[in-house]
Amino acid sequence: MPRPAPSAPSTAAPRSPRGASKGPDGSACTWYDTPGQAGRGHWIFDRPFSEPLRQTLIAAAAQTGAPVVPRGVYGHVDGPRFNSRAEIAALAAAGVTAVSQTAGPEAVLAGEAELPLALVGFVTDFANGVAPEPEPVEALLARMAAGKDTFAQLVGHAVAGLEAVAPAGFVHRFGS
């Protein structure tokens, strides 16, 4: 079943990737961690997200009444912490427009399992150094709470428009 991956990114762009293939516990980010294991292979892709699913979600998001930014560059960072001003500046210089700790390992695992995946982000705050002054944490938490309702509406609209959705790329399975 296709899955949108909800995220609560900070924005690294004043107007509005690096990433480890490791799980939160530091283990290898793969379903197949045993050499020679059946199904093991390489995920080969041009873009990590399913374009048909992405288009369905963009159309559904427009129906929620929330502002929609249909294109950007996602930067996955390891947490759990906010990034420094220097890290955000480096990511922004590389063209990153949204930063969060969601969708790095998730994209790898979905690709390896040949599951369609697309990222839906509800921008909650400016990343460190983007705005002159940081916002109160209460503002971030309020936006995160509001994002839950918007996400539920988006999923409701998207499910009605979903048919068979192709995953991104393909997996070359060893031994096949």
Side-chain angles (χ1 to χ4, degrees), residues 20-56:
S21 288
K22 301 269 185 199
D25 64 355
S27 63
C29 184
T30 180
W31 298 112
Y32 308 98
D33 60 355
T34 304
Q37 183 177 1
R40 191 174 174 143
H42 283 294
W43 179 37
I44 303 166
F45 63 93
D46 176 34
R47 295 178 180 174
F49 301 116
S50 166
E51 187 60 23
L53 179 56
R54 197 177 82 75
Q55 291 301 324
T56 298

Side-chain angles (χ1 to χ4, degrees), residues 81-112:
R81 64 178 181 85
F82 286 156
N83 298 92
S84 69
R85 289 174 177 255
E87 289 169 315
I88 294 301
L91 289 165
V96 170
T97 56
V99 178
S100 84
Q101 300 163 25
T102 305
E106 294 85 347
V108 171
L109 293 170
E112 190 175 70

Side-chain angles (χ1 to χ4, degrees), residues 1-6 53 56-57 59-64 118 120 122 147-162:
M1 165 138 221
R3 291 200 48 192
L53 179 56
T56 298
L57 292 168
Q63 295 178 49
T64 68
V120 175
F122 299 99
K148 290 179 188 177
D149 292 335
T150 304
F151 182 71
Q153 291 175 27
L154 181 144
V155 170
H157 293 301
V159 167
L162 280 177

